[in-house]
């Protein structure tokens, strides 16, 4: 009883998978984040919780209920497909529990990924215009020229705006 109480207070999602790959337990955080219903208990984990390697709809699924004797770390860009069709960025790992299955710990990393994308955008774009900054433009031109030298096709449109700063 104390263990279940403690797990219900944890901010990470905790899921217990039995040795046959069926969902044996999930805490309140997992139920809320992943929209899990009590009817999922006893069902194969992969039928209740779908994790993909990234947010591309063609991305490979991450099998949570297979090879339970091996540890598993989710890919860096993993997402959980929610029942309503939404995607929830997640990170976590599955740890084997000898003779009993595995324990899966997942956390919502929506804000961390949003911040990472924003920082990447700021590093490559001008803050005033939101256009590519000089360094990123030079990098992309160099890449395109290299592709063209290797037999690829490329084109460049150059527009020089007089008095741009006035605009």
């Amino acid at each position: 009883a104390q263990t279940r109480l403690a797990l219900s207070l944890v901010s990470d999602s905790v899921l217990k998978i039995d040795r046959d790959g069926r969902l044996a337990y999930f805490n309140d955080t997992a139920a809320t984040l992943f929209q899990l219903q009590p009817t999922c208990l006893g069902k194969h984990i992969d039928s209740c919780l779908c994790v993909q390697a990234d947010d591309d709809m063609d991305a490979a699924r991450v099998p949570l209920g297979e090879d339970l004797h091996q540890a598993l770390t989710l890919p860096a860009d993993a997402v959980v497909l929610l029942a309503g069709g939404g995607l929830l960025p997640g990170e976590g790992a599955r740890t084997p529990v000898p003779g009993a299955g595995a324990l899966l710990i997942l956390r919502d990393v929506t804000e961390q990924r949003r911040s990472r994308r924003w920082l990447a955008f700021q590093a490559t774009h001008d803050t005033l215009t939101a256009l590519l900054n000089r360094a990123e433009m030079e990098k992309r031109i160099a890449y395109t020229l290299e592709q063209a030298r290797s037999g690829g096709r490329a084109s460049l449109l150059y527009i020089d705006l007089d008095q741009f700063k006035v605009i």
Side-chain angles (χ1 to χ4, degrees), residues 1-67:
Q2 288 181 340
T3 303
R4 288 199 186 269
L5 174 62
L7 290 174
S8 71
L9 299 174
V10 174
S11 62
D12 288 344
S13 299
V14 179
L15 301 99
K16 169 75 174 78
I17 306 167
D18 72 16
R19 69 181 121 215
D20 296 319
R22 294 184 304 252
L23 190 55
Y25 168 82
F26 55 86
N27 68 355
D28 294 341
T29 303
T32 302
L33 276 180
F34 308 125
Q35 304 164 355
L36 295 175
Q37 302 298 320
T39 55
C40 288
L41 293 172
K43 292 183 180 176
H44 196 274
I45 182 77
D46 293 320
S47 69
C48 297
L49 191 63
C50 180
V51 176
Q52 287 188 182
D54 59 45
D55 61 4
D56 182 350
M57 292 313 291
D58 295 330
R61 288 185 68 170
V62 177
L64 300 173
E66 297 177 12
D67 300 320

Side-chain angles (χ1 to χ4, degrees), residues 123-140:
T124 58
H125 290 74
D126 178 76
T127 55
L128 179 63
T129 64
L131 297 172
L132 291 177
N133 63 24
R134 182 183 191 107
E136 183 65 15
M137 187 62 107
E138 289 173 351
K139 178 178 150 189
R140 291 188 186 195

